[in-house]
Structure formats: C-alpha cells, structure tokens
Amino acid sequence: MQNVSRRLAALLALAALGTACTKVETSGIGGRHSFTIPHTLRFSASENLVGLNPMINTQATLNYLAEMTMAFLIRGNIKSEPLVPELATEIPTKANGGISSDGKTLTYHLRRGVVWSDGVPFTADDVIFSTKLILDPKTNVISRDGWDRIVSMDEPDKYTVVYHLSAPYAAYAVTYFSTVGANPAILPKHLLLGKDVNTDPYNALPVGIGPFKYKEWKRGDSVVLVPNPRYFRGVPKLQRVIYKEIQDRNVVLEELRTHELDLWIPVAPHYINDVRSIPGVHVSLTPSFYFDHLDFNNSRPVLQDPILRRALRMSIDRRYLNEKIRFGVYDLSETVVPPVSRFHENIPLVPFDIAAAGKLLDSDGWARGADGIRAKGGLRLSLNFATATGSPDTDTQIELIRSWWKQLGVDVEVHHYLSSLLFAPLSDGGIIYGGKFDIVVFAWGGDPVQDLYNLYACDKFPPNGQNDPRYCDPALTAEMARIRVDYDPNARVAGMKTIQERIVRDAPFIVLDTRKDIAAYNDDLKDWHPSSIGPFDDMLNVDI
C-alpha cells in the first residue's frame, strides 16, 4: 500500500485532462514568488481521507501524513540504505545481536529522552501496548500479517523490547512499526489505555512523535500540521503543512495553476504536460515501487476460470493505455514486482490480441448469445467495474477497456464510489475489502523486501489480510511462506522468480504498469527529496 506490498497503501489510479494555463505574477519578496506563503506548504494527493490513525486505516495519503506526524521504530531513507532507525537506536540484525541465531527473537533498543508531542515520555510500554492492540482481534486493523508471528514479548527495561516469533520473518524491518508503507504506528499508551481504539476521539487528531503534529482536521476539507517542538531530531523549518482533501483531479490541477497549492503528488501522467506548462512549477519523476493493477474478484463464479482471465488480459492494450492515458511516462511490466526492485523478473508482456482471446474463449466453451455477450454454464459475462469518483482519465481508461471487452463479448457496468468508501475496511462496508466488485482498478505500493504473502496468500482474504482478488493457489502460498523466513535477500531471488511466473500464469489480476512518482511543486520549495519509498520521510530541512 512498507511491507508496503503487504499492507499496501491503496492509491487511486490516475487523473483528468487539464485546461489551458494562465499567466501568473512570479516576483515576490525575498526572492520568493508572490504566491508563495513563506514556510507554509499546501499540498494534495487527490484523495479524501479515510481517517488519521494508521493502525485502523490504510491509505497512501494517510501514510504521507503519518510519515510526518506519527511514531515509528524505523524510517525510510533517501540515501543508499532504504531504511534507517527512528525510535529504535539501530535496526536489529544478526551481526549486531538484534536477531537471534535461530531468527526467532528480535531485540529493539529504544532512544532515551524521546517524548510524545504532548510532552509525555516515550518508552517500551508504548511499543508493547501498541503491539498488543494490533494482536487484539477486537482492533480493526487491516491486516495482522507478520504480526501474527509474535507469540510473546519481553520488556527487560523501559528502553528495550524483545519480540519472540513463531518463525523467522524476513519483512520484520518494514512490518513492525516502520514508515515504509501504510503500516501501523506506535500509539501512546497514556492516551489510549482502556479505550476503544476503533472509536476513540484520538483518531480524529492523533498524537505522535514526528517532526510535525496534527493541529486541525476539517473532514472533507483539510488537515493542518504544525511543527512538533519536542521532536528529538530538532524542529522543522516549515511552520505549517496543509493537506487539502480534493477528490477531483481537475480541481487539483486548477489549484496548482492558480497557486493555491504548492505540491501535487502523485500527479497522474496524463497531466504531465499540463503541470509542466505552469510558470513557477517544477516537475520531478522518481522510480516507484507502486504498480497499477486491475483486480478480478476471483471468488465470483464467473471469474474463477483462469482461461477467461487470460483472455481478458489479452484484450487490454496496455501499450496504448500507457501512451494515451499516461503519456508514456510509466513502464510496462507483466509482474507485480516493479523494475526498481532487486527481485524484478523480466517476464515478456502478454501481447494485445482480441482475435486470439476470442478463439481462446470459443475453445473454452464461452459462447456468444443473441446479444453478443458470452455465457458458459449459465454464467453470463456481465461484470461490475468499481472505481473512484473524481478521476476522469481513469474513466477514460475504463471506457477503453470496456470497448475492447465488448468486442470480445463481455458486458461491463461501471460503478463510482468516493475513495473513502472504496478503500474503507471491510468492517466499515468498504467496497474493495468487502468484495463488492467484479473488477476494480487502483495501485499497490511495494517495498525493498517484496513480501507478497499478505496480498496473495490463501489465508489472507479480508479481513485477515489484503488479498482483495481473493486468489488462492496453495502452491504459491507455500512458496511465499517458504521464502519469507529467510533474512538473506539473495536466498529469496529464486523463490521470487517462481512466485512471479506463477501469478502471471494464473492471471488473478492484470498488472497495467509500474509507476514513476510524479510530483509537481512550487519551485520555491527547497530541500525536498522524495524517494522511491516515501516522499515525506525527510522533512526537517524542507522549506518554502
């Protein structure tokens, strides 16, 4: 969505066409543009927020805010090492004694002198308390994948936490309280002990240990962050960060054009020429762990036939979509592991061929009816396509897919939902996690570990995990389980190759592309360095 690829921060797919740009005044006081508000960063990710507590909500936009505000043991890094210690003094390894010889014991040493943004000291009590919350079945976490390996915990002193695991777990560093993805944050015991974390007012304005703290959330409008003067690394230069909840990409573009926004991330590729034409706006492209995918709900009887799914994949011209909708900015890939990952397998792209797909369906018994729509065994190829509101270019993408599938003999009905409902947890009636779709398109975000178990294992259907395609291949599940116990990434390469090849064979979903993170921002913004893992992990020296 970290093991981002396990809790993946869900991102919406792509945005709308822009209009002509207008000329603006760009001279200001002190070298700044006249439209720049000194030390105030205004940004949008074209999403409304599901919530602000990353323990019970999973969303890429929420992760952006959590990187700046919440409490984590490990943080993403823009330099050569993808992970660095945050509230931990070091990342546990076998070399430093943090991982036992059998791989089943992890020891975290915590920083001393750290306080929550309300001034209360941070200790091991908070880590133990938060871990117990995640393991508590009454807590509405999106997934307990990886956490369910913790069988007991020790607290030798107030600055040491020891996890005892049922088995080694390679993704520990990105799973256990890291900013890498939509992962749960450590929560303050002093504020939540004895409370219902699912409903407590804390969730509307969480207290954390980041460089910023929450000041205000006007639901459906904006979130305001201000510096946390108690942050142990120092006080950030920015005096205010404002996230604007704007669902419609056209509106985001217009606010960037009129300079009511300083930053739009991620920009849909179809906007890239529009944002490049705006005076005073710089555009950056960063190779990303995110990939866009079209998911089949494999629990639907009509979609349980892998031959049908392969035919549907053959009937999407992904090269054309990338050129038409994304202006050729993204990369094409057949696998869920993007090229930026060391585990990426260069599997040839399945070619676009509606005629061949039709023959495949003919031989598989999917016959056309009088209306041209195919059916087999009483199952008619009429599919419900779920998507988010406010993404006109995603709508264009869907209409292209629908036109190709119509030629194949498939009927598609499109249903739009607010992103807050589309990505809501199953317990809150979420469309994706509730399985209320036949087809859905959005993006997952991966991480350096690329543990895919939570996304595609047989025992990870929601609410137990994030296998929203509800895809089950016991052999694949066994292989993902086998390699996730090895702390040596080199030892996982062969297994990752097998996993990618097996997923491509079964076609439980379609990888549409792998992304580049496109950011369009006021060129007065200084020292902002987005990485492939997280754009807001390094904010102390950022200013405008």
Side-chain angles (χ1 to χ4, degrees):
M1 169 97 294
Q2 286 153 350
N3 200 315
V4 192
S5 28
R6 294 182 322 283
R7 277 152 302 283
L8 311 177
L11 266 184
L12 300 180
L14 308 180
L17 295 170
T19 55
C21 72
T22 56
K23 186 176 180 180
V24 296
E25 174 61 48
T26 58
S27 61
I29 299 172
R32 292 186 177 94
H33 297 304
S34 60
F35 50 77
T36 298
I37 302 175
H39 315 300
T40 295
L41 174 64
R42 303 159 296 174
F43 83 101
S44 182
S46 310
E47 273 192 329
N48 286 344
L49 287 157
V50 176
L52 294 183
N53 184 347
M55 181 172 286
I56 59 174
N57 297 292
T58 298
Q59 188 181 25
T61 301
L62 171 58
N63 189 59
Y64 291 165
L65 298 174
E67 287 174 19
M68 294 185 275
T69 58
M70 301 301 287
F72 298 96
L73 293 173
I74 293 170
R75 182 174 286 280
N77 186 31
I78 65 169
K79 300 179 176 66
S80 58
E81 291 298 323
L83 304 173
V84 293
E86 173 74 348
L87 297 177
T89 59
E90 59 184 356
I91 299 173
T93 64
K94 287 190 174 182
N96 63 26
I99 301 178
S100 62
S101 58
D102 65 359
K104 294 183 179 181
T105 302
L106 302 177
T107 301
Y108 289 90
H109 298 286
L110 308 181
R111 296 188 185 277
R112 298 171 183 265
V114 174
V115 298
W116 293 90
S117 61
D118 64 0
V120 175
F122 162 76
T123 71
D125 290 350
D126 298 303
V127 181
I128 298 291
F129 169 75
S130 299
T131 306
K132 288 180 177 178
L133 274 179
I134 293 168
L135 296 175
D136 186 342
K138 294 191 296 293
T139 305
N140 292 336
V141 297
I142 296 295
S143 172
R144 293 182 177 84
D145 184 59
W147 297 94
D148 53 12
R149 297 203 172 199
I150 300 173
V151 294
S152 64
M153 295 172 281
D154 294 329
E155 187 179 332
D157 57 58
K158 293 300 180 185
Y159 300 98
T160 307
V161 171
V162 181
Y163 286 159
H164 300 283
L165 311 181
S166 59
Y169 181 48
Y172 72 101
V174 293
T175 301
Y176 301 150
F177 300 124
S178 88
T179 65
V180 186
N183 290 325
I186 302 167
L187 302 184
K189 180 179 178 180
H190 68 281
L191 293 178
L192 289 169
L193 181 64
K195 306 286 186 63
D196 182 353
V197 71
N198 299 314
T199 60
D200 196 81
Y202 170 90
N203 299 328
L205 219 60
V207 170
I209 311 181
F212 295 89
K213 63 180 182 178
Y214 289 110
K215 179 181 181 182
E216 182 180 38
W217 180 20
K218 296 179 181 178
R219 291 177 184 266
D221 181 77
S222 61
V223 178
V224 178
L225 314 182
V226 294
N228 174 11
R230 299 184 172 98
Y231 183 53
F232 66 96
R233 295 188 189 278
V235 180
K237 293 179 179 179
L238 286 170
Q239 295 172 5
R240 187 174 292 249
V241 176
I242 301 171
Y243 176 74
K244 292 191 175 185
E245 293 190 69
I246 306 171
Q247 179 83 31
D248 192 317
R249 268 71 169 172
N250 281 327
V251 177
V252 177
L253 176 63
E254 187 58 28
E255 291 214 0
L256 190 71
R257 179 175 287 123
T258 58
H259 300 289
E260 296 167 82
L261 283 173
D262 301 297
L263 167 65
W264 179 11
I265 184 172
V267 178
H270 205 78
Y271 282 111
I272 193 163
N273 289 336
D274 295 290
V275 296
R276 279 174 171 164
S277 70
I278 302 174
V281 168
H282 180 76
V283 177
S284 68
L285 282 74
T286 305
S288 174
F289 279 95
Y290 279 96
F291 62 95
D292 289 294
H293 54 101
L294 182 153
D295 286 355
F296 300 117
N297 186 341
N298 290 253
S299 69
R300 302 285 207 217
V302 72
L303 289 166
Q304 289 177 357
D305 182 354
I307 295 176
L308 167 64
R309 299 194 301 264
R310 290 181 205 134
L312 292 172
R313 178 175 59 192
M314 291 173 66
S315 302
I316 297 179
D317 191 341
R318 287 173 282 181
R319 294 188 187 280
Y320 183 78
L321 289 180
N322 191 38
E323 292 300 323
K324 173 73 174 178
I325 308 296
R326 291 139 191 162
F327 285 14
V329 172
Y330 288 173
D331 296 316
L332 295 180
S333 173
E334 197 63 72
T335 173
V336 298
V337 179
V340 72
S341 170
R342 65 179 296 169
F343 298 112
H344 173 73
E345 187 66 24
N346 190 21
I347 298 173
L349 197 71
V350 174
F352 171 63
D353 193 333
I354 294 179
K359 292 178 181 178
L360 194 62
L361 291 185
D362 290 340
S363 64
D364 194 37
W366 290 95
R368 290 183 184 269
D371 59 357
I373 305 304
R374 293 179 184 266
K376 175 184 176 182
L379 297 173
R380 188 171 182 269
L381 280 182
S382 182
L383 304 177
N384 162 23
F385 203 131
T387 188
T389 59
S391 302
D393 65 334
T394 300
D395 294 337
T396 301
Q397 173 184 251
I398 292 171
E399 287 307 310
L400 286 168
I401 293 171
R402 180 153 69 170
S403 69
W404 294 321
W405 284 0
K406 184 178 181 180
Q407 297 175 51
L408 187 63
V410 180
D411 178 53
V412 174
E413 184 176 337
V414 181
H415 297 271
H416 290 83
Y417 304 92
L418 291 174
S419 60
S420 55
L421 176 59
L422 190 68
F423 295 105
L426 184 150
S427 59
D428 293 338
I431 301 303
I432 293 174
Y433 292 119
K436 302 172 185 177
F437 67 93
D438 293 323
I439 312 288
V440 68
V441 61
F442 61 105
W444 281 132
D447 66 43
V449 178
Q450 288 294 318
D451 178 7
L452 301 174
Y453 192 90
N454 187 52
L455 288 182
Y456 308 126
C458 292
D459 59 343
K460 293 301 178 183
F461 291 11
N464 299 317
Q466 288 182 281
N467 186 350
D468 73 90
R470 289 153 175 84
Y471 164 56
C472 179
D473 175 354
L476 177 75
T477 297
E479 183 63 15
M480 291 188 294
R482 184 188 69 80
I483 68 170
R484 73 193 317 222
V485 302
D486 202 321
Y487 292 106
D488 180 6
N490 294 321
R492 300 199 297 274
V493 172
M496 287 298 298
K497 180 177 186 294
T498 299
I499 289 166
Q500 292 171 75
E501 290 174 343
R502 200 170 188 98
I503 290 175
V504 171
R505 179 203 68 185
D506 288 351
F509 47 82
I510 302 169
V511 177
L512 297 174
D513 55 62
T514 57
R515 290 186 170 193
K516 291 184 177 71
D517 286 336
I518 306 171
Y521 57 93
N522 181 343
D523 58 21
D524 276 339
L525 186 64
K526 306 301 180 187
D527 295 316
W528 181 61
H529 305 291
S531 73
S532 297
I533 297 175
F536 297 107
D537 262 320
D538 183 15
M539 292 295 289
L540 267 184
N541 294 313
V542 177
D543 202 1
I544 191 168

